[in-house]
Amino acid sequence: MDFELLKKAVWQANLDIVKRGLVELTWGNASGADRDAGVMAIKPSGVGYDDLRPDNMVVVSLATGEVIDGSLRPSSDTPTHLVLYQEFGRIGGVVHTHSNAAVSWAQAERDVPCLGTTHADHFYGAIPVTRRMREEEIMDAYEHNTGVVIVERFREGHIDPGQIPGVLVACHGPFVWGETPASAVKNATVLESVARMAFQTYMLNSKAAPIDQALLDKHHLRKHGTESYYGQD
Amino acid sequence: MDFELLKKAVWQANLDIVKRGLVELTWGNASGADRDAGVMAIKPSGVGYDDLRPDNMVVVSLATGEVIDGSLRPSSDTPTHLVLYQEFGRIGGVVHTHSNAAVSWAQAERDVPCLGTTHADHFYGAIPVTRRMREEEIMDAYEHNTGVVIVERFREGHIDPGQIPGVLVACHGPFVWGETPASAVKNATVLESVARMAFQTYMLNSKAAPIDQALLDKHHLRKHGTESYYGQD
Amino acid sequence: MDFELLKKAVWQANLDIVKRGLVELTWGNASGADRDAGVMAIKPSGVGYDDLRPDNMVVVSLATGEVIDGSLRPSSDTPTHLVLYQEFGRIGGVVHTHSNAAVSWAQAERDVPCLGTTHADHFYGAIPVTRRMREEEIMDAYEHNTGVVIVERFREGHIDPGQIPGVLVACHGPFVWGETPASAVKNATVLESVARMAFQTYMLNSKAAPIDQALLDKHHLRKHGTESYYGQD
Amino acid sequence: MDFELLKKAVWQANLDIVKRGLVELTWGNASGADRDAGVMAIKPSGVGYDDLRPDNMVVVSLATGEVIDGSLRPSSDTPTHLVLYQEFGRIGGVVHTHSNAAVSWAQAERDVPCLGTTHADHFYGAIPVTRRMREEEIMDAYEHNTGVVIVERFREGHIDPGQIPGVLVACHGPFVWGETPASAVKNATVLESVARMAFQTYMLNSKAAPIDQALLDKHHLRKHGTESYYGQD
C-alpha cells in the first residue's frame, strides 16, 4: 500500500503550524487519517521542522497504533491522536500545539467563551478545558489518557466534536481537529486568535458576556449549516 | 462600461489590509464606490487573498446590490457595505476586518475613547460601539441590519461619519470607511493601533481621561480642517 | 554651504525609526543639528517613508526656524524640535514617534519608573511625563509650546536632559534625543522596550519598586561615566 | 592551542539569540566552555551583532578570567559567566539576554511558577528570582557578585542547576545555561515563552495553581530522565 498523498498532506500541515506562528522549537505535531486504509500519518518524534520531509512521516494503524510505514519513531503524542480518531469518528486531521494564548487559557483552566463572531464562525460555543488528570492517569499510559480526558469532557458536557473542533487540556495546551489536516490547521489558527482576543476582552471588561444564541446560530450556520451561503460553493 | 480602475483600487485595498496585519485567513473585505456610475466593487466571498486579482472583484449596483460585473459571488458582507454607502453619502471606500485589538473592544462592548493625539489626528472623538442586534434583526437580512444598527448608532449619537470614520459592531468587529478605498485602509490601520494603545493605557490607569477638547480640535483640524497645515498641500 | 552629511544622517535616522518598528504610517520624524552651522535638518511634512531621500530633508535655522535649504515644508513638529535644541544645549539629534508602549504611558499620564538595569543603562532614572497643555498653549503656537512644557518639566523636576534623554508628552507621545540622530534613534528604541517591560512588570506586581540607587549608579555610570568600562573604547 | 570549534559554536549562539527575538541592540551575550582546555569563549563587549565573526570571540581562562585568545575586550558580563561555570560544574554554555517577558518577571521580583507542561518539559519547577544585590556587592566586583547571588539562590533554595537551567536576576534579567551553547539558547527561548504564557495565565486567573507533581515528573522525566522516550535516540 502507498500513503504518498496522506504523508504529503500531513507534512504540509506540520510545516503550516510553524508558518502560522503556532509552534516554537518542536512543540507541535499534526496528523491525518485515511479511514479507508485504517491508518493515520503523523510527525516523527523530536525531529526539527527544517528536517521534515513527506517521506519521514510515520504511518500507524488507527486500531492498534502499530507502525505500518516509516523508519522513525512516531510523535510521543501519538496515543492521544489515536484516541481522538477512534472516538470522534468523522475527523480526518488532528493538530497539537503549544500556541501562546491557547496555552494561557489552558493553564488558567478556563473555557474560552464565545465572545464574538470570529469565534462563532468556527466554534459553535465555548472551547472547553478538561479537568486535571489524576496521578494514576499520568503515571501509566499518560498520552492515551490525555485522549481519554478529552473525550470524557465532550461526552459529559454533551459537546459535539463536529461543532466544537478543539479542546484545551488543563495545564497543557490545545488539541484541535477537522475533516482534513488542513482544516485542523485552520481551526488551530482560529483558536489561537480567538483566545488572544478573548484575553484582551476580559482585561477590558471582566463581565463581558457571550454572544446571544441567535447570533451564534447565524454565524455558525452561515458557514457550516446545510443552507450556508458563504464562499463560492 | 468598464470598471478597471475601481476594481484595481479595491483589489489593492484588499491586499493592503492583509499586508498591514489587519486580517487573518479570509476575515476581511474592502470595497470602493464609483458614485457617478452608481456602483461599488467588493472582494468575492471566501476567496483566499493569494488568489485575488483585480478582475475577480465583483461590481454591484449601489442602489439594488445587483451584480453588474464579475462571475463570482460578492462578499457575504456586501449588504452591510451597501447600507453604509447609501446612508453615509460622501464615503468612497469601506473596510471590514477582525483585527485583534479592535475586535477586543467590540467584544467588551466599549467605545474606544480618544485618549491621545494619535487618535485625534484621525478620529474626532470616541469610536463608538453599536448596541447588540436583536434576534429578529439577526434572523432576517442580518448583513443588511448590521449596516442599519451602525447608522442608528451614528444618528442617535449625533455622530458625523465624516469625522468619525469607523465603528465597532458589538460582538463582531470594526467597519471603517474613508473617501477612497486607500483612506479606508489607512483609517482601519489607525483604529487598530489606537485600540491597542487605549487597551494598554487602561491597564496602566483605569481612570485615564480623554484628551481635552482644545487638543482634540487642534490635532483633528490641523490635518482635516479648512486651515490644515500638515503635509505638502 | 553644503549640508550633505547632515541630511544623510537625518534621512538614515528617519528610515531607522521605521525599521525598528517605532513608526506606523507617517507618525514620526527625526532631526539632527549642526551647531557650528547653526542649523538642523528634519523630515519634510507628511511625506511617506518610502519616498524619503537625503536631498528632500529640510534644513532650517536653529535660531529662527527659517528654511535655509530644501524645497519642501518641514515637519509640522519642527518648532518642538527647535525648542529642544535651543534649550538642551548639547544634544545633536531628536526623534519623535508614536511608538506603542511609550504612547500608552503618555496617555496614562504616568512617568515610566526605572524598574531594571535595561532602563538604567540608558536613562538615569524615571522617564517623565509632562503636564497637560493649557488651552491657550494649544490654541496658539502649539508645537512651540509642546517644546516649552517639555523644558518646564525638566527644569521644575531638576532633571538633566543629558542623563534622561527622553520625555513623554501627556496624551501625545515620546520625544527622545541624543548626541547624534543615531543615538536619538537608539534611545527611542530603548524607551519603547523599557516602557513595554515596565507595563508588564506592573501587571505582575502593582507594587513593583524602582531599582536601588547603587544599582542605578552602577549601570548608568558603567556605560556613561568618566570611568566607563563597557565597549571597546 | 586552537579554539576554532568552540569560537564557532559561541558565535552561532550569539547570532541565534538575536534570530530568536531574545535580544535588542547589544543586550545579550552567549558563552561556551571547553572544560578540558579550562577555557570559555564569549562575545566581545559592545560589538554589534552584525559585526560578529567567529574569530573575534574572546577566549578566557575558566579559573582566572585572563584573556588567552583574542584581541578584543570580553563582554562586561564575563565575571558572571565565570562564576556560573565554576560553581555549576557540568554546564557547557551560558546565555544572558534582556528578553521581554523574562525581564518583566525579574523586575516584578517573582519566580516564574511551573503552570504547564511547556515549562515542565524544560524546567523541573519554578524558575527562581534572586534577592536584590546589596550596595557593597554592587559597588565592588558587581558582575562577579551577580554570579554569587545566583549561586546563593540555588544553594539556599536547594535547587539543582541541572534541573532548573536558568534564573532571573532581580531588577535585571535572565541568565540561562545548558550542556552546550546551543542548549543554553534553547533554554533561553523556552524561558521567554513560558514567562509570556505565565504572565497571561495570571491575568486570566490570579489564583492559577502550579501543575501537580505527577505531571511535572512525567513531562520532565519523559525528556530528561534515564528512561526518556522522546525523540529518536
Side-chain angles (χ1 to χ4, degrees):
Chain A
M1 221 179 305
D2 183 352
F3 306 108
E4 204 174 327
L5 281 175
L6 178 64
K7 291 198 284 190
K8 194 166 173 194
V10 169
W11 166 76
Q12 185 65 54
N14 276 288
L15 296 189
D16 285 349
I17 53 178
V18 177
K19 191 174 143 198
R20 290 195 179 283
L22 303 176
V23 168
E24 281 190 285
L25 301 171
T26 59
W27 302 342
N29 44 68
S31 70
D34 178 338
R35 290 190 177 272
D36 291 333
V39 301
M40 75 165 191
I42 192 165
K43 180 175 173 290
S45 180
V47 173
Y49 291 94
D50 290 346
D51 299 323
L52 288 187
R53 297 185 313 276
D55 67 1
N56 54 27
M57 297 298 109
V58 186
V59 179
V60 304
S61 161
L62 277 178
T64 67
E66 186 192 1
V67 173
I68 287 173
D69 183 73
S71 56
L72 297 171
R73 193 186 294 182
S75 166
S76 58
D77 293 314
T78 294
T80 315
H81 290 244
L82 286 173
V83 171
L84 297 177
Y85 286 116
Q86 289 159 2
E87 299 292 328
F88 297 163
R90 296 173 58 184
I91 68 179
V94 173
V95 162
H96 172 51
T97 78
H98 286 220
S99 67
N100 206 268
V103 166
S104 301
W105 285 86
Q107 294 185 159
E109 297 182 67
R110 290 179 63 172
D111 296 356
V112 182
C114 183
L115 298 172
T117 62
T118 324
H119 186 128
D121 279 337
H122 300 88
F123 292 85
Y124 190 55
I127 299 160
V129 64
T130 69
R131 63 166 171 82
R132 289 192 174 206
M133 293 173 72
R134 287 186 280 268
E135 184 168 351
E136 64 273 19
E137 293 169 328
I138 292 166
M139 298 296 280
D140 189 38
Y142 167 62
E143 290 81 6
H144 173 81
N145 287 328
T146 300
V148 169
V149 297
I150 293 171
V151 172
E152 176 197 300
R153 181 69 181 86
F154 276 66
R155 193 161 295 154
E156 297 193 352
H158 304 289
I159 304 168
D160 177 349
Q163 293 186 316
I164 306 284
V167 71
L168 305 173
V169 177
C171 307
H172 187 158
F175 282 83
V176 186
W177 47 86
E179 292 175 19
T180 62
S183 70
V185 172
K186 183 177 177 177
N187 289 333
T189 306
V190 173
L191 168 53
E192 180 63 11
S193 188
V194 300
R196 194 165 53 233
M197 297 194 294
F199 169 76
Q200 292 172 344
T201 301
Y202 272 116
M203 295 297 107
L204 284 167
N205 180 356
S206 61
K207 299 187 189 320
I211 66 174
D212 299 320
Q213 187 64 37
L215 188 59
L216 176 57
D217 287 349
K218 184 69 186 185
H219 268 264
H220 201 73
L221 303 179
R222 184 168 83 157
K223 283 201 175 175
H224 302 278
T226 52
E227 299 185 30
S228 68
Y229 55 95
Y230 179 87
Q232 300 297 335
D233 314 316
Chain B
M1 219 179 306
D2 183 353
F3 306 108
E4 204 175 327
L5 280 176
L6 178 65
K7 291 198 285 190
K8 195 166 173 194
V10 169
W11 166 75
Q12 186 65 54
N14 276 288
L15 295 189
D16 284 349
I17 54 178
V18 177
K19 192 174 143 198
R20 289 194 180 283
L22 303 176
V23 167
E24 280 191 286
L25 301 170
T26 59
W27 302 341
N29 44 68
S31 69
D34 178 337
R35 290 191 176 273
D36 291 334
V39 301
M40 75 165 190
I42 192 166
K43 181 176 173 290
S45 179
V47 173
Y49 291 95
D50 290 346
D51 299 324
L52 289 188
R53 297 185 313 277
D55 68 1
N56 55 27
M57 296 299 109
V58 186
V59 179
V60 305
S61 161
L62 277 177
T64 67
E66 185 192 2
V67 173
I68 287 173
D69 184 71
S71 56
L72 296 171
R73 192 186 294 182
S75 166
S76 58
D77 292 314
T78 294
T80 314
H81 289 244
L82 286 174
V83 171
L84 297 177
Y85 287 116
Q86 289 159 4
E87 299 292 329
F88 297 163
R90 297 173 58 185
I91 68 177
V94 172
V95 162
H96 172 52
T97 79
H98 287 220
S99 67
N100 206 268
V103 166
S104 302
W105 284 87
Q107 293 185 161
E109 297 182 69
R110 290 179 64 172
D111 296 355
V112 182
C114 183
L115 297 173
T117 62
T118 324
H119 185 127
D121 278 337
H122 301 88
F123 292 84
Y124 190 55
I127 299 160
V129 64
T130 68
R131 63 167 170 81
R132 289 190 175 208
M133 294 173 72
R134 286 186 280 268
E135 184 168 353
E136 64 272 20
E137 293 169 329
I138 292 166
M139 298 296 280
D140 189 38
Y142 168 62
E143 290 82 6
H144 173 81
N145 287 329
T146 299
V148 169
V149 297
I150 293 172
V151 172
E152 176 196 300
R153 182 69 181 85
F154 276 66
R155 192 161 296 154
E156 298 194 351
H158 305 288
I159 304 168
D160 176 349
Q163 292 185 317
I164 306 283
V167 71
L168 304 173
V169 176
C171 307
H172 187 160
F175 282 82
V176 186
W177 47 86
E179 293 175 19
T180 61
S183 70
V185 172
K186 184 176 176 177
N187 289 334
T189 305
V190 173
L191 168 54
E192 180 62 10
S193 188
V194 300
R196 195 166 52 232
M197 296 194 294
F199 168 75
Q200 292 173 344
T201 301
Y202 272 117
M203 295 297 107
L204 284 167
N205 180 358
S206 61
K207 298 185 190 321
I211 66 174
D212 299 320
Q213 188 64 38
L215 189 58
L216 176 56
D217 288 349
K218 184 70 185 183
H219 268 266
H220 201 74
L221 303 180
R222 184 169 83 156
K223 284 200 174 175
H224 302 278
T226 52
E227 299 185 29
S228 70
Y229 56 95
Y230 180 87
Q232 300 299 333
D233 314 315
Chain C
M1 218 180 306
D2 183 352
F3 305 109
E4 203 174 328
L5 281 176
L6 178 64
K7 290 199 284 191
K8 195 166 173 193
V10 169
W11 167 75
Q12 186 65 54
N14 276 288
L15 295 190
D16 284 349
I17 54 178
V18 177
K19 192 174 141 196
R20 291 195 179 282
L22 303 175
V23 167
E24 281 191 286
L25 302 171
T26 59
W27 302 341
N29 45 68
S31 69
D34 179 337
R35 289 192 177 271
D36 292 334
V39 301
M40 75 164 191
I42 192 165
K43 182 176 172 291
S45 180
V47 173
Y49 291 94
D50 290 345
D51 299 324
L52 289 188
R53 298 184 314 276
D55 67 1
N56 53 27
M57 297 299 108
V58 187
V59 179
V60 304
S61 161
L62 277 178
T64 67
E66 186 192 0
V67 173
I68 287 174
D69 183 72
S71 56
L72 296 172
R73 193 185 295 181
S75 166
S76 58
D77 292 315
T78 294
T80 314
H81 289 245
L82 286 173
V83 171
L84 296 178
Y85 286 116
Q86 289 159 3
E87 299 291 329
F88 296 163
R90 296 173 59 186
I91 68 178
V94 173
V95 162
H96 172 51
T97 79
H98 286 220
S99 67
N100 207 267
V103 166
S104 302
W105 284 87
Q107 294 185 160
E109 297 182 70
R110 290 179 65 172
D111 297 354
V112 182
C114 182
L115 297 173
T117 62
T118 323
H119 185 128
D121 278 337
H122 299 88
F123 292 84
Y124 190 54
I127 298 159
V129 64
T130 69
R131 62 168 171 82
R132 288 190 175 209
M133 294 174 72
R134 287 187 280 268
E135 185 168 352
E136 63 273 19
E137 293 169 328
I138 291 166
M139 298 296 280
D140 189 38
Y142 168 62
E143 290 82 4
H144 173 80
N145 287 328
T146 300
V148 169
V149 296
I150 293 172
V151 172
E152 176 196 299
R153 182 69 182 85
F154 276 67
R155 193 161 295 154
E156 298 194 351
H158 305 289
I159 303 168
D160 177 348
Q163 294 185 317
I164 306 284
V167 71
L168 305 173
V169 177
C171 307
H172 187 158
F175 283 83
V176 187
W177 47 85
E179 292 175 19
T180 61
S183 70
V185 171
K186 184 176 175 177
N187 289 333
T189 306
V190 173
L191 169 52
E192 179 62 11
S193 188
V194 300
R196 193 166 54 231
M197 296 194 294
F199 168 75
Q200 291 172 344
T201 302
Y202 272 117
M203 295 298 107
L204 284 167
N205 180 358
S206 61
K207 298 186 190 321
I211 67 173
D212 300 319
Q213 188 64 37
L215 188 58
L216 177 56
D217 288 349
K218 183 70 186 183
H219 268 265
H220 201 72
L221 303 180
R222 184 169 83 157
K223 283 201 175 173
H224 301 278
T226 53
E227 299 185 29
S228 69
Y229 56 95
Y230 179 87
Q232 299 298 334
D233 316 315
Chain D
M1 220 180 305
D2 183 352
F3 305 109
E4 203 174 327
L5 280 175
L6 178 64
K7 291 199 284 190
K8 195 167 172 193
V10 169
W11 167 74
Q12 187 64 54
N14 276 287
L15 295 189
D16 285 348
I17 54 178
V18 178
K19 192 174 142 196
R20 289 194 180 284
L22 303 176
V23 168
E24 281 190 285
L25 302 171
T26 59
W27 303 341
N29 44 69
S31 70
D34 178 338
R35 290 191 176 271
D36 291 334
V39 301
M40 75 165 192
I42 192 166
K43 180 175 172 293
S45 179
V47 174
Y49 291 93
D50 290 346
D51 300 324
L52 288 188
R53 297 184 314 278
D55 67 1
N56 54 27
M57 297 298 110
V58 186
V59 178
V60 304
S61 162
L62 277 177
T64 67
E66 186 192 0
V67 173
I68 287 174
D69 184 71
S71 56
L72 297 171
R73 193 185 294 182
S75 166
S76 58
D77 292 315
T78 295
T80 315
H81 289 244
L82 286 174
V83 171
L84 297 177
Y85 286 116
Q86 288 160 4
E87 299 292 329
F88 297 163
R90 297 173 59 184
I91 68 178
V94 173
V95 161
H96 172 51
T97 78
H98 286 219
S99 67
N100 206 269
V103 166
S104 302
W105 284 87
Q107 294 185 161
E109 297 182 69
R110 291 179 64 172
D111 296 354
V112 182
C114 183
L115 297 173
T117 62
T118 324
H119 186 128
D121 279 337
H122 300 88
F123 292 84
Y124 190 54
I127 299 160
V129 64
T130 68
R131 63 167 171 81
R132 288 190 175 209
M133 294 173 72
R134 288 186 279 267
E135 185 168 352
E136 63 273 20
E137 292 169 329
I138 292 166
M139 298 295 280
D140 188 39
Y142 168 61
E143 290 82 5
H144 173 81
N145 287 328
T146 300
V148 169
V149 297
I150 293 172
V151 172
E152 176 196 302
R153 181 70 181 84
F154 275 66
R155 194 160 295 153
E156 296 194 352
H158 304 288
I159 304 168
D160 176 350
Q163 293 185 317
I164 305 283
V167 70
L168 305 173
V169 176
C171 308
H172 187 158
F175 283 84
V176 187
W177 48 85
E179 292 175 18
T180 61
S183 70
V185 171
K186 184 176 176 177
N187 289 333
T189 306
V190 173
L191 168 54
E192 179 63 11
S193 188
V194 300
R196 194 165 55 232
M197 296 195 294
F199 168 76
Q200 292 172 344
T201 302
Y202 272 116
M203 295 297 107
L204 284 167
N205 180 357
S206 61
K207 298 185 190 321
I211 66 174
D212 299 319
Q213 188 63 38
L215 189 58
L216 176 56
D217 288 348
K218 184 70 185 184
H219 268 265
H220 201 73
L221 303 179
R222 183 168 83 157
K223 283 201 175 173
H224 301 278
T226 52
E227 300 185 28
S228 70
Y229 55 95
Y230 180 86
Q232 299 298 334
D233 314 316

